[in-house]
């Protein structure tokens, strides 16, 4: 073998990664042009992910980029923002103070709480203001994003974070925020992870990137035997082929893993199996070679070649972590600096560790550290962890006991691993508090669990509050079983110590938790909590319990009983001016009125709730109320009642704000709920693609966290949207899935699903099946109070029509109309769905003139509210009435309008649902022969001549007032036409009309 005796056993070139390298270079070029990207580099440990990144970083063609590189280590799952802090430190070390402060300016105050060394850069920094935990978490996340975005103003940015399979959730949240900015910023994220080590949080993060189409996935696989040969020839600069017997043995052992190949070769060199003689490399005969059977053995054989001082230092470093501090190890060993430096050089020369900075070193590969750590006896580990912990504690004490969060978390880890329970308890408590302050949920779980173990080992009784706290964190993460176990432990502890308030809290916690799974269980726990609350002389506690029981009555379909409890609670809270309690009560009154089909009253209560949540800075409460506010402009569940005339854009804005807040605070159930509500409100306006995307995203989250209510809600939404899209098979499947979940939750949900499922059977022509489905939920004595009850009555009216019983259908519809909530608000408004059904019933009774009048009113109202999905059905009903009256021209016009109105809804759909919708629509409404005028309308997607003229004027930048002046009509008339244009084209914004008009050539207002 040719080469040099001093050749490092590291492959000098990248082998077998040409395509992956090309892919990343393409992304680099794209970023250089101003549009960034995210590259996910995945592979097993040791396959060369880091080497691929290093190749990119070393490429001279990329020197204009700012490279910020960090990595995650196994303990980092219990450290909030660990890899991000690495990136900031790298930036600080590579830029002068003025540049650093300028870039950090928007974020420096908040980041100082995580990086105390920032205070040394600017003595004028003021401490960050005290914020509520979820808000602080959001602000810190925004601070990191602002910092990175500011860096892109200096030069294109490449952010490298290795081993994100060990990342904490808070860092992943920030990375997702950054990923969303890459589409408009010159910023490339290179993220590496082990494909065989996917923890749930990383899975959620990766799924979000894929779902939002933000990433390029780059897979790194082991080398084949040919690749291993090339690697060996490159290491030893050998031109001739490697002898086959040796290559085969090496390949079978390493399975083509490049790191394993290097480790085995290093071991063979260290043991003399491969040697340098007469100016070239050679090896012993294969039968004389002692090839290690595992990488662990290879690492230990190499370590044995070190002197004892270097071995001891390496073992200490192994205990300290994959990354370790020079000064800390020097303090433990007692070596002077020259000795320490020489030992570190020895470890670097042995290719076991690398230098990251003057104070920080790290193992060259995680597998090296893992091999050394697992070889230690448990007692050895405990003693060494104790030494590390004592030295680190001494360092913190020299800093006047002001340790950074990272140091406190490290102390928690090392004292816990050392089983020094007194110190582990102290530092785990401190670390848990900090993690909760920044809303770092998974690290908080880790530290709280250490607190529990330390208390148990100390033979201390565990306070209920500790179980309560950890249970809340588990609940936020959507981990039902763990949360339930903690709340049950809190309840047992409270009863054992006769702590009645803690007992009440635990019962209330369980009642909240079971709301996502079983409404009978929820009701039992809430009633028990109320019984305890009545024994306590505390109006706040009593009010909370009254509210919880009232909420249970709502879901038992007794909204009037629910209101009685809520108003009793409201009176108690108003008497003591308890703002948080009032906000919660207003929120509950809002949802009670929504479920009771009284949207106007709901709006009033929710407005009070939102104002209070904002004043209290309660993000979770605000998200919950805003999500429900998205429903106030109408939704599928409320089709039998009056919808207040509201700005739907404002309703949507509230829902999107709710979604944004839920994501920022990491509240996954809240995120799923906001998505469900948005889906249910977008669908009735024909914004089907958006509604489907929201519903699918909600289902993904709900199933991941096993949240029964939102799994039901998403399935229900997908079912009713499919029904609207005339995809009856899909609608039936999703509604049957929803019905299964509803039966697990309670009767309230069952009725809501059954109403729509019966309608699906009716439109498929299966009257017998519709009757069978309704039989489960229908009772002639059933009131028309709650949503589910009213939907079942609505379906029963449809069934009566199908059974040629129009008089019965009319009786039911009139009862629904007269009991609609608008009557109590002195607002006699049209309910398009009920008006259409009433018109159909009247027509079946032969009362065609009355039917026509009713349907005209319904059409006017549906058009005014941009409710195209019901509007085209109303127009179709009108067309059929005209046909019965012999009014051929009117019938043709109405049916054509119905077809065009419906077809316009399909424009924004994906191909598959669009094809199903159009095909079924054509079977329901055969397209009539087209007149020249109608041909022109078809060419322009159904727009009338006047609507085309208005679209053309919009395209040239005219305001509504200017359009009105040009066409000599009223401004309100223009607004009505624009609403019709948006409805027919399926658009939500004026800009979409501009783009459409330009594409159609309507830039000249004279075009007819």
């Amino acid at each position: 073998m040719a080469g040099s005796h001093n050749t490092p056993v590291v492959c000098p070139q990248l082998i077998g990664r040409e395509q992956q390298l090309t892919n990343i270079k393409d992304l680099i070029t794209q970023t250089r042009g101003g549009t960034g990207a995210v590259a996910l580099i995945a592979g097993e440990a040791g396959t060369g992910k880091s080497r691929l990144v290093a190749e990119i970083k070393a490429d001279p063609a990329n020197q204009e980029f700012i490279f910020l590189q960090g990595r995650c280590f196994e303990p980092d799952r219990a450290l909030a923002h660990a890899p991000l802090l690495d990136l900031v430190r790298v930036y600080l070390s590579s830029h002068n103070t003025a540049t650093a402060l300028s870039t950090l300016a928007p974020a420096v105050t908040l980041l100082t709480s995580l990086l105390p060394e920032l205070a040394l850069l600017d003595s004028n920094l003021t401490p960050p203001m005290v914020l509520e935990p979820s808000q602080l978490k959001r602000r810190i996340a925004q601070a990191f994003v602002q910092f990175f975005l500011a860096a892109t103003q200096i030069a294109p940015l490449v952010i490298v974070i290795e081993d994100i399979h060990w990342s904490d959730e808070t860092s992943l949240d920030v990375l997702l925020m950054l990923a969303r900015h890459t589409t408009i910023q010159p910023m490339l994220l290179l993220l590496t992870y082990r494909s065989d080590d996917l923890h749930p949080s990383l899975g959620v993060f990766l799924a979000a990137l894929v779902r939002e189409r933000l990433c390029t996935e780059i897979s790194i696989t082991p080398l084949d035997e040919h690749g291993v040969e090339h690697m060996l020839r490159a290491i030893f600069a050998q031109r001739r082929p490697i002898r086959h017997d040796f290559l085969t043995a090496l390949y079978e052992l390493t399975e083509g893993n490049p790191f394993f190949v290097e480790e085995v070769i290093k071991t063979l060199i260290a043991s003399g199996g491969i040697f340098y003689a007469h100016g070239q490399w050679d090896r012993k005969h294969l039968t004389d070679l002692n090839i290690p059977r595992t990488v662990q053995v290879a690492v230990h054989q190499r370590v044995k070649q070190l002197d004892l001082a270097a071995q001891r230092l390496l073992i200490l470093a192994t205990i300290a972590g994959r990354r370790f501090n020079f000064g800390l190890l020097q303090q433990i060993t007692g070596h002077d600096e020259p000795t320490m430096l020489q030992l570190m050089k020895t470890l670097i020369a042995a290719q076991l560790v690398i230098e990251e900075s003057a104070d920080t070193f790290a193992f060259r590969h995680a597998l090296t550290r893992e091999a050394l750590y697992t070889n230690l006896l448990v007692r050895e580990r405990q003693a060494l962890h104790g030494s590390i912990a004592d030295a680190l504690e001494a360092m913190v004490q020299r800093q006047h006991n002001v340790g950074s969060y990272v140091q406190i978390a490290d102390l928690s880890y090392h004292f816990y691993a050392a089983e020094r329970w007194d110190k582990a308890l102290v530092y785990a408590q401190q670390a848990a508090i900090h993690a909760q302050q920044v809303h770092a949920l998974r690290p908080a779980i880790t530290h709280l669990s250490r607190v529990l173990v330390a208390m148990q080992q100390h033979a201390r009784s565990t306070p209920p509050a500790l179980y309560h706290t950890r249970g809340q964190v588990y609940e936020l993460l959507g981990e039902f079983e763990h949360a339930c176990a903690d709340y049950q432990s809190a309840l047992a502890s409270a009863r054992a110590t006769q702590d009645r308030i803690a007992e009440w809290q635990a019962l209330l916690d369980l009642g909240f938790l079971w709301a996502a799974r079983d409404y009978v269980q929820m009701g039992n726990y809430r009633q028990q909590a109320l019984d305890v609350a009545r024994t306590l002389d505390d109006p706040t506690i009593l009010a909370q319990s009254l509210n919880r029981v009232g909420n249970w009555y709502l879901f038992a379909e007794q909204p009037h009983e629910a209101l009685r409890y809520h108003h009793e609670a409201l009176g108690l809270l108003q008497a003591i001016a308890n703002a948080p309690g009032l906000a919660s009560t207003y929120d509950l009154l809002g949802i009670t009125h929504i479920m009771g089909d009284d949207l106007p009253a709901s709006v009033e209560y929710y407005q009070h709730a939102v104002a209070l949540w904002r004043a209290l800075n309660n993000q979770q409460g605000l998200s919950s109320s805003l999500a429900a506010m998205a429903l106030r402009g109408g939704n599928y569940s409320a089709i039998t009642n009056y919808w207040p005339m509201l700005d739907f854009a404002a309703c949507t804005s509230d829902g999107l704000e709710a979604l944004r807040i839920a994501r920022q605070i990491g509240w996954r159930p809240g995120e799923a709920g906001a998505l469900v509500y948005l889906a249910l409100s977008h669908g009735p306006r024909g914004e089907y693609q958006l509604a489907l995307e929201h519903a699918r995203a909600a289902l993904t989250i709900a199933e991941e966290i096993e949240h029964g209510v939102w799994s039901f809600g998403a399935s229900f939404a997908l079912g009713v949207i499919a029904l609207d899209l005339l995809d009856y098979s899909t609608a039936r499947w999703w509604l049957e899935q929803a019905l299964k979940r509803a039966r697990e939750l309670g009767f309230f949900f069952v009725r809501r699903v059954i109403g729509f499922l019966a309608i699906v059977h009716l439109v498929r022509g299966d009257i017998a099946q519709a009757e069978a489905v309704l039989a489960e939920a229908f009772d002639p004595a059933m009131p028309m109070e709650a949503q589910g009850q009213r939907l079942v009555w609505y379906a029963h009216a449809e069934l009566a029509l199908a059974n040629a019983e129009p008089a019965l259908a009319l009786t039911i519809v009139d009862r629904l109309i007269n009991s609609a909530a608008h009557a109590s608000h002195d607002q006699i408004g049209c309910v398009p769905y009920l008006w259409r059904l009433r018109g159909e019933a009247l027509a079946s009774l032969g009362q065609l003139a009355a039917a026509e009048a009713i349907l005209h009113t319904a059409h006017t109202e549906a058009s005014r509210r941009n409710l195209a999905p019901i509007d085209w059905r109303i127009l179709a009903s009108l067309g059929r009435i005209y046909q019965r009256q012999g009014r051929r021209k009117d019938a043709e016009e109405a049916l054509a309008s119905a077809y065009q109105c419906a077809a316009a809804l399909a424009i924004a759909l994906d191909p598959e649902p669009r094809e199903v919708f159009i095909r079924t629509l054509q079977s329901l409404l055969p397209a009539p022969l087209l007149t020249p005028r109608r041909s022109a309308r078809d060419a322009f997607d159904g727009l009338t001549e006047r609507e085309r003229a208005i679209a053309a004027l919009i395209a040239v930048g005219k305001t509504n007032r200017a359009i009105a002046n040009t066409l000599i009509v009223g401004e309100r008339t223009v607004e009505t036409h624009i609403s019709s244009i948006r409805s027919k084209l399926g658009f939500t914004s004026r800009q979409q009309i501009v783009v459409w008009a330009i594409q159609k050539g309507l830039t000249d207002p004279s075009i007819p």
Side-chain angles (χ1 to χ4, degrees):
M1 296 181 182
S4 166
H5 182 59
N6 295 319
T7 301
V9 187
V10 175
C11 187
Q13 65 189 67
L14 203 61
I15 303 293
R17 307 294 184 228
E18 293 77 12
Q19 185 58 56
Q20 292 91 336
L21 190 61
T22 298
N23 291 343
I24 298 178
K25 285 182 176 180
D26 288 344
L27 296 178
I28 286 277
T29 301
Q30 175 183 318
T31 303
R32 187 179 283 115
T35 303
V38 180
L40 295 174
I41 305 174
E44 297 176 2
T47 49
K49 300 181 294 296
S50 298
R51 180 61 190 275
L52 185 61
V53 169
E55 194 80 10
I56 290 294
K57 189 174 180 180
D59 189 342
N62 300 330
Q63 294 309 302
E64 82 269 28
F65 284 82
I66 296 175
F67 273 83
L68 298 181
Q69 187 164 1
R71 57 167 52 93
C72 305
F73 300 94
E74 194 165 7
D76 287 354
R77 289 183 185 172
L79 292 174
H81 309 110
L84 303 174
L85 296 175
D86 271 0
L87 301 177
V88 177
R89 289 190 181 99
V90 170
Y91 188 83
L92 292 175
S93 66
S94 58
H95 291 79
N96 61 50
T97 300
T99 302
L101 282 176
S102 173
T103 310
L104 284 165
V108 69
T109 301
L110 279 166
L111 295 185
T112 302
S113 64
L114 302 175
L115 280 172
E117 57 262 42
L118 286 177
L120 301 176
L121 296 178
D122 187 351
S123 58
N124 297 319
L125 281 178
T126 57
M129 68 177 105
V130 177
L131 298 169
E132 186 260 342
S134 61
Q135 186 179 20
L136 179 60
K137 177 193 176 186
R138 185 175 70 258
R139 292 283 187 86
I140 288 175
Q142 290 170 344
F144 277 117
V145 172
Q146 288 171 347
F147 160 64
F148 293 121
L149 292 180
T152 63
Q153 303 306 306
I154 299 172
L157 180 62
V158 176
I159 295 175
V160 178
I161 299 184
E162 298 189 62
D163 297 332
I164 61 169
H165 52 274
W166 282 326
S167 175
D168 63 289
E169 288 186 61
T170 51
S171 295
L172 294 177
D173 290 342
V174 174
L175 289 175
L176 184 56
M177 293 171 66
L178 275 176
R180 291 170 177 146
H181 283 281
T182 58
T183 58
I184 55 173
Q185 297 289 344
M187 176 168 55
L188 174 63
L189 298 184
L190 295 180
L191 309 175
T192 76
Y193 68 95
R194 291 186 187 177
S195 52
D196 55 346
D197 190 9
L198 288 181
H199 61 83
S201 300
L202 179 59
V204 170
F205 169 73
L206 297 176
L209 289 177
V210 173
R211 183 173 63 248
E212 298 180 36
R213 299 177 182 179
L214 294 172
C215 64
T216 297
E217 298 181 79
I218 297 173
S219 179
I220 307 294
T221 56
L223 301 174
D224 57 18
E225 189 169 322
H226 182 68
V228 172
E229 181 186 22
H230 271 263
M231 186 176 172
L232 293 176
R233 291 173 64 181
I235 290 172
F236 296 111
Q238 179 172 306
R239 293 184 178 180
R240 66 179 185 273
I242 302 296
R243 279 174 282 187
H244 184 71
D245 57 350
F246 176 70
L247 176 61
T248 299
L250 185 64
Y251 178 74
E252 288 177 353
L253 170 63
T254 63
E255 296 182 340
N257 185 299
F259 174 76
F260 294 176
V261 171
E262 290 179 354
E263 290 302 299
V264 171
I265 294 299
K266 290 172 190 173
T267 301
L268 290 174
I269 291 174
S271 64
I274 294 177
F275 52 90
Y276 192 78
H278 310 296
Q280 65 179 6
W281 286 99
D282 205 345
R283 66 170 174 83
K284 295 179 180 178
H285 191 273
L286 190 62
T287 56
D288 297 325
L289 278 177
N290 182 21
I291 299 179
R293 300 314 303 166
T294 68
V295 173
Q296 189 174 43
V297 172
V299 170
H300 287 298
Q301 288 180 358
R302 285 207 296 122
V303 170
K304 286 180 183 178
Q305 308 302 315
L306 302 173
D307 60 50
L308 291 178
Q311 287 186 37
R312 174 167 170 72
L313 182 62
L314 187 64
I315 294 302
L316 278 172
T318 299
I319 295 296
R322 188 177 167 192
R323 173 186 286 153
F324 48 92
N325 181 271
F326 181 92
L328 180 65
L329 295 192
Q330 183 181 3
Q331 179 178 328
I332 298 171
T333 59
H335 293 311
D336 57 28
E337 184 155 332
T339 302
M340 275 292 293
L341 288 173
Q342 186 56 48
L343 289 171
M344 293 306 303
K345 287 180 179 179
T346 300
L347 297 180
I348 292 171
Q351 299 179 51
L352 293 166
V353 302
I354 58 173
E355 180 184 26
E356 289 195 337
S357 69
D359 298 318
T360 306
F361 294 79
F363 281 88
R364 180 172 171 265
H365 202 283
L367 291 172
T368 304
R369 189 228 168 211
E370 289 170 17
L372 293 170
Y373 190 84
T374 55
N375 195 54
L376 294 171
L377 299 175
V378 173
R379 285 182 175 274
E380 285 182 286
R381 293 182 204 164
Q382 289 175 356
L384 291 168
H385 276 296
S387 298
I388 295 285
D390 288 335
L392 182 57
E393 186 179 47
M395 288 179 65
V396 172
Q397 288 171 348
R398 285 197 297 273
Q399 299 166 7
H400 306 290
N401 289 309
V402 184
S404 68
Y405 167 60
V406 173
Q407 289 174 319
I408 299 302
D410 281 346
L411 285 166
S412 164
Y413 165 66
H414 287 298
F415 277 122
Y416 181 82
E419 298 189 4
R420 299 264 293 277
W421 305 119
D422 52 344
K423 295 291 183 70
L425 178 60
V426 171
Y427 289 113
Q429 285 175 325
Q430 292 180 27
I433 290 170
H434 183 93
Q436 288 172 280
Q437 285 175 342
V438 296
H439 218 70
L441 303 182
R442 195 65 63 181
I445 291 288
T446 298
H447 298 302
L448 287 167
S449 299
R450 288 175 185 166
V451 171
L452 277 166
V453 172
M455 282 188 163
Q456 291 163 358
Q457 294 295 331
H458 246 315
R460 296 187 186 182
S461 59
T462 306
L466 184 55
Y467 287 117
H468 162 77
T469 300
R470 192 174 68 169
Q472 283 190 314
V473 180
Y474 275 129
E475 189 172 358
L476 279 171
L477 288 167
E479 297 185 11
F480 175 86
E481 299 296 341
H482 287 112
C484 189
D486 273 351
Y487 291 151
Q488 290 285 5
S489 296
L491 181 60
S493 177
R495 286 173 171 168
T497 57
Q498 297 185 336
D499 186 337
R500 298 287 280 170
I501 292 179
E503 180 184 1
W504 167 82
Q505 182 65 64
L507 289 166
L508 205 64
D509 289 337
L510 285 162
F512 269 110
L513 184 68
W514 277 100
R517 296 287 181 107
D518 186 323
Y519 274 82
V520 174
Q521 282 275 50
M522 177 188 84
N524 289 338
Y525 281 120
R526 290 185 176 186
Q527 187 59 56
Q528 290 180 56
L530 179 57
D531 293 341
V532 174
R534 292 196 186 279
T535 69
L536 304 171
D537 186 21
D538 188 321
T540 301
I541 285 177
L542 179 56
Q544 286 187 55
S545 284
L546 288 165
N547 274 332
R548 293 304 115 202
V549 173
N551 188 241
W552 180 81
Y553 272 109
L554 169 65
F555 290 100
E557 291 196 304
Q558 300 180 50
H560 293 307
E561 188 67 8
L563 289 173
R564 186 172 68 82
Y565 279 88
H566 291 321
H567 281 294
E568 183 182 350
L570 186 64
L572 289 169
L573 295 164
Q574 286 174 332
I576 59 175
N578 183 314
L582 285 170
S584 179
T585 306
Y586 286 132
D587 179 272
L588 289 166
L589 283 164
I591 195 65
T592 302
H593 282 291
I594 280 184
M595 301 303 184
D597 256 355
D598 190 345
L599 287 176
S602 173
V603 170
E604 182 179 343
Y605 284 117
Y606 269 123
Q607 286 172 340
H608 289 311
V610 167
L612 279 173
W613 290 136
R614 289 194 193 279
L616 293 165
N617 196 26
N618 185 315
Q619 297 299 296
Q620 188 169 327
L622 180 60
S623 176
S624 176
S625 292
L626 286 170
M629 284 281 276
L631 299 174
R632 71 188 188 278
N635 64 89
Y636 282 117
S637 297
I639 62 171
T640 67
N641 222 315
Y642 174 72
W643 297 355
M645 189 65 185
L646 299 168
D647 178 4
F648 184 64
C651 302
T652 303
S653 177
D654 286 339
L656 291 174
E657 184 181 358
L659 182 61
R660 184 171 61 254
I661 292 170
R663 285 171 172 167
Q664 287 171 344
I665 65 176
W667 185 32
R668 306 212 72 217
E671 182 181 356
L675 287 165
V676 167
Y677 286 162
L678 283 166
L680 289 172
S681 58
H682 278 296
R685 282 169 171 75
E687 297 172 354
Y688 294 130
Q689 192 61 38
L690 197 54
L692 286 169
E693 289 170 3
H694 286 322
R696 289 165 185 159
L699 185 65
T700 298
I701 296 170
E703 289 184 341
E704 283 173 1
I705 64 177
E706 298 182 354
H707 197 289
V709 171
W710 298 131
S711 291
F712 159 80
S715 300
F716 173 74
L718 288 166
V720 291
I721 294 165
L723 173 58
D724 236 8
L725 286 172
L726 311 179
D727 187 350
Y728 304 136
S729 296
T730 300
R732 177 179 177 177
W733 192 88
W734 277 115
L735 288 171
E736 287 177 346
Q737 296 305 305
L739 187 56
K740 290 178 185 176
R741 293 180 168 100
R743 287 179 176 135
E744 297 169 359
L745 292 168
F747 208 65
F748 169 85
F749 295 96
V750 170
R751 282 205 173 104
R752 193 185 311 186
V753 181
I754 280 178
F756 281 102
L757 187 56
I759 292 171
V760 170
H761 290 305
L762 288 173
V763 295
R764 289 164 63 97
D766 194 341
I767 295 177
Q769 189 63 38
E771 289 175 337
V773 166
L774 277 175
E776 178 181 350
F778 181 71
D779 178 354
M782 180 176 65
M784 296 180 173
E785 296 175 357
Q787 278 183 351
Q789 295 166 345
R790 294 179 65 82
L791 286 169
V792 167
W793 274 112
Y794 179 82
H796 195 64
E798 292 273 20
L799 175 63
L801 274 178
N803 277 327
E805 298 178 286
L808 175 59
L810 186 62
T811 299
I812 294 171
V813 173
D814 283 345
R815 285 183 58 202
L816 284 168
I817 290 172
N818 292 333
S819 61
H822 64 78
S824 64
H825 294 268
D826 297 324
Q827 297 173 359
I828 306 302
C830 170
V831 182
Y833 288 85
L834 293 181
W835 259 241
R836 183 201 66 80
L837 194 53
R838 191 170 197 274
E840 292 278 3
L842 287 168
S844 295
L845 289 167
Q847 300 178 36
L848 299 184
E852 180 184 349
I854 282 287
L855 291 171
H856 267 302
T857 302
H859 166 57
T860 300
E861 186 69 4
S863 178
R864 185 169 71 100
R865 294 172 178 272
N866 295 319
L867 301 178
I870 186 61
D871 196 19
W872 75 259
R873 290 171 166 88
I874 293 167
L875 288 167
S877 296
L878 266 173
R880 286 188 284 270
I881 287 175
Y882 292 145
Q883 285 176 332
R884 289 179 61 182
Q885 293 174 325
R887 295 160 60 180
R888 181 177 176 183
K889 182 178 180 181
D890 289 339
E892 185 180 89
E893 188 70 27
L895 291 173
S897 295
Y899 185 88
Q900 295 296 344
C901 179
L905 295 172
I907 294 173
L909 283 171
D910 285 339
E912 186 175 346
R914 181 170 64 241
E915 181 182 343
V916 173
F917 181 74
I918 294 297
R919 185 172 62 247
T920 309
L921 179 66
Q922 288 172 342
S923 69
L924 295 173
L925 296 172
L929 293 174
L930 300 180
T931 64
R933 174 176 292 185
R934 189 168 299 122
S935 296
R937 288 174 59 176
D938 279 359
F940 294 100
D941 300 323
L943 266 60
T944 65
E945 184 175 336
R946 175 53 56 89
E947 288 167 348
R948 297 197 296 274
I950 289 174
L953 290 166
I954 290 173
V956 295
K958 296 287 188 181
T959 64
N960 286 6
R961 178 169 295 180
I963 294 171
N965 292 336
T966 300
L967 300 178
I968 317 176
V969 295
E971 193 170 346
R972 184 178 293 275
T973 300
V974 172
E975 291 171 356
T976 300
H977 282 303
I978 292 174
S979 294
S980 178
I981 292 169
R982 285 203 302 264
S983 176
K984 290 179 179 180
L985 299 181
F987 292 164
T988 58
S989 72
R990 201 178 183 92
Q991 185 59 36
Q992 288 174 299
I993 297 174
V994 172
V995 173
W996 177 88
I998 292 171
Q999 290 174 340
K1000 293 290 186 180
L1002 291 176
T1003 52
D1004 181 353
S1006 66
I1007 295 176

